[in-house]
Amino acid sequence: MAKVIVGMSGGVDSAVAAYLLLQEGYEVEGMFMRNWDSTLNNDISGNPNLNHAICPQEEDYNDALEACKILGIPLHRIDFIKEYWDYVFKYFLDELEKGRTPNPDLLCNKYIKFDLFKKEAIRLGADFVATGHYAQTRDGRLFRGVDKNKDQSYFLAMVSREQLQNVLFPVGGLEKTEVREIALKIGLNVATKKDSTGICFIGERNYQEFIKNYLKPNPGAILNVETLEKIGTHTGLMNYTIGQRRNVGISGDLERHYVCGKDVAQNILYVAFGDSEYLYSDACMIEDVHFISEERPKTCTAKFRYRGEDYPVSLEYLDASHIKVSYPEKVKAVTPGQACVLYQGEECLGSGIIHTIYKNGEKLFYL
């Protein structure tokens, strides 16, 4: 009997994934990863004044433990706190300091869940590892999940073909409603638990207050991108992302407005009003390019953010790790630091990190 270790997050998806594997006849065990910890964090960061007591990870562990009891499987617990700090959180802070908007979930999957977690599972005798991701694999290739609303192939686009070997995604072929129905039917404690959203280590906390613990606030001018008139003061460029509409810091009852650019050297935040052309681009250069597929197409589609639309793109291969991505339909709020994920139909080909934005052949001033 093949043994599978399931990454139990304390949510409904991983719990149902474990149940489905049991139904298929696998020997199943769970493993809970602790990547962020309030009591140990001070030692790692060197800052004794941090307060992370609100982190809900212990609640998630208790939910995972109860789900495993219901399913009749053991639950292991492992800490990757320092590794998460070194491989994910430091990168997150470095990118913010550059004025970019990083997505830590992709790095967590690459360095933690499908590397360190998988190695630990193999050490425990696993033939396969499984998670509750809404995605599918076939022959080491990655495909979208059946539920297009929940598809998480975007977050897996930095995982290698080798890392996907012996990985199972049991809920990838189901709709979310089906997963909840199964959970209710078998009496899982997490059947109606709300899905987690946002950045895991921030949780329910105020983003700007959290970031202040690590990056010193550096207020500066907010300028109207068309008139260059000063219209407000920002609290630090790390607190804003391209396309942001709320909590920008402009006083008065002004018309609809968006963050459309940053000048890191001069510490300026640019804002556009209405559906401004300043928000649109027609090409970008991506770096740290990584392919899961062996194909190197000249045309495909791309997502520039999770749950964003698929846009037809053409690819110009600049070197082994840089591609110029051109999109004839102009795209709104393409953001440095985010992942550009490439698709050929249902298959996720790979990804790169958005570095430079262009329009009409000219580099835009985002960075």
Side-chain angles (χ1 to χ4, degrees):
M1 184 187 297
K3 180 176 178 178
V4 185
I5 291 186
V6 182
M8 300 293 289
S9 67
V12 65
D13 301 322
S14 57
V16 169
Y19 168 76
L20 293 172
L21 292 167
L22 284 169
Q23 294 301 107
E24 290 181 35
Y26 289 100
E27 177 190 351
V28 179
E29 296 180 6
M31 186 154 68
F32 181 86
M33 292 173 283
R34 188 169 62 154
N35 298 330
W36 190 265
D37 181 76
S38 57
T39 59
L40 296 180
N41 186 67
N42 294 345
D43 294 333
I44 296 169
S45 68
N47 185 344
N49 300 314
L50 303 182
N51 177 15
H52 301 291
I54 310 172
C55 185
Q57 213 159 175
E58 287 306 308
E59 259 178 61
D60 290 336
Y61 172 70
N62 290 333
D63 287 341
L65 190 60
E66 180 62 22
C68 286
K69 285 179 183 176
I70 292 169
L71 294 170
I73 63 174
L75 179 64
H76 306 276
R77 177 171 174 147
I78 188 163
D79 289 342
F80 292 129
I81 297 164
K82 187 178 188 308
E83 293 85 351
Y84 189 91
W85 182 278
D86 290 341
Y87 296 126
V88 180
F89 192 64
K90 279 184 179 177
Y91 174 88
F92 176 77
L93 295 179
D94 288 345
E95 288 290 277
L96 289 180
E97 285 190 304
K98 294 174 186 174
R100 299 174 14 144
T101 304
N103 193 320
D105 288 336
L106 281 93
L107 287 175
C108 181
N109 284 327
K110 177 179 180 179
Y111 291 113
I112 308 297
K113 292 181 182 175
F114 294 92
D115 184 10
L116 297 174
F117 167 83
K118 188 177 180 185
K119 287 173 181 173
E120 179 64 15
I122 291 169
R123 190 187 70 79
L124 291 171
D127 300 294
F128 298 92
V129 298
T131 69
H133 282 96
Y134 286 84
Q136 301 180 90
T137 58
R138 292 194 289 275
D139 301 321
R141 297 158 66 191
L142 180 65
F143 295 84
R144 304 180 204 249
V146 165
D147 189 333
K148 296 301 178 278
N149 233 359
K150 297 296 296 181
D151 168 51
Q152 292 172 306
S153 59
Y154 180 93
F155 295 119
L156 297 167
M158 288 179 71
V159 175
S160 72
R161 192 181 184 95
E162 291 70 32
Q163 287 175 305
L164 288 172
Q165 295 295 327
N166 301 321
V167 169
L168 305 174
F169 297 125
V171 302
L174 299 175
E175 300 280 343
K176 180 74 178 198
T177 52
E178 294 177 280
V179 170
R180 290 222 182 262
E181 285 169 8
I182 291 169
L184 285 166
K185 183 179 176 182
I186 64 174
L188 280 174
N189 58 311
V190 290
T192 59
K193 184 176 179 178
K194 184 181 175 184
D195 290 345
S196 59
T197 57
I199 300 173
C200 58
F201 47 78
I202 295 177
E204 300 299 321
R205 284 164 286 190
N206 177 278
Y207 175 84
Q208 293 194 19
E209 289 300 314
F210 175 83
I211 293 301
K212 274 199 299 190
N213 287 314
Y214 303 92
L215 299 178
K216 185 179 178 182
N218 186 21
I222 301 175
L223 302 187
N224 181 322
V225 69
E226 295 190 23
T227 66
L228 300 185
E229 169 194 5
K230 182 177 178 180
I231 54 176
T233 301
H234 66 74
T235 59
L237 296 178
M238 68 277 194
N239 293 321
Y240 306 87
T241 187
I242 305 305
Q244 181 174 330
R245 292 185 297 163
R246 297 175 184 167
N247 303 316
V248 175
I250 300 173
S251 59
D253 187 20
L254 298 173
E255 63 179 299
R256 187 174 63 174
H257 52 276
Y258 302 84
V259 172
C260 70
K262 301 177 182 183
D263 185 327
V264 176
Q266 298 187 70
N267 197 28
I268 294 171
L269 187 73
Y270 291 98
V271 168
F273 290 85
D275 197 24
S276 171
E277 270 298 306
Y278 283 95
L279 283 168
Y280 290 85
S281 61
D282 55 28
C284 68
M285 191 270 285
I286 61 175
E287 61 181 359
D288 300 327
V289 171
H290 158 76
F291 277 96
I292 302 167
S293 170
E294 294 175 351
E295 294 182 38
R296 301 293 183 271
K298 292 185 177 178
T299 61
C300 59
T301 64
K303 279 185 184 291
F304 296 97
R305 61 185 62 223
Y306 178 54
R307 287 189 174 162
E309 291 181 46
D310 277 61
Y311 290 92
V313 298
S314 58
L315 307 179
E316 180 185 349
Y317 296 84
L318 305 177
D319 58 40
S321 61
H322 295 81
I323 295 177
K324 185 175 181 182
V325 181
S326 300
Y327 26 98
E329 299 175 30
K330 288 182 180 178
V331 180
K332 187 176 182 178
V334 174
T335 305
Q338 289 283 293
C340 168
V341 176
L342 306 173
Y343 291 88
Q344 196 73 274
E346 294 299 295
E347 183 175 4
C348 177
L349 303 177
S351 66
I353 301 299
I354 300 164
H355 182 273
T356 311
I357 316 296
Y358 301 93
K359 184 161 68 175
N360 301 325
E362 297 291 324
K363 177 182 173 181
L364 296 181
F365 55 84
Y366 291 119
L367 292 176

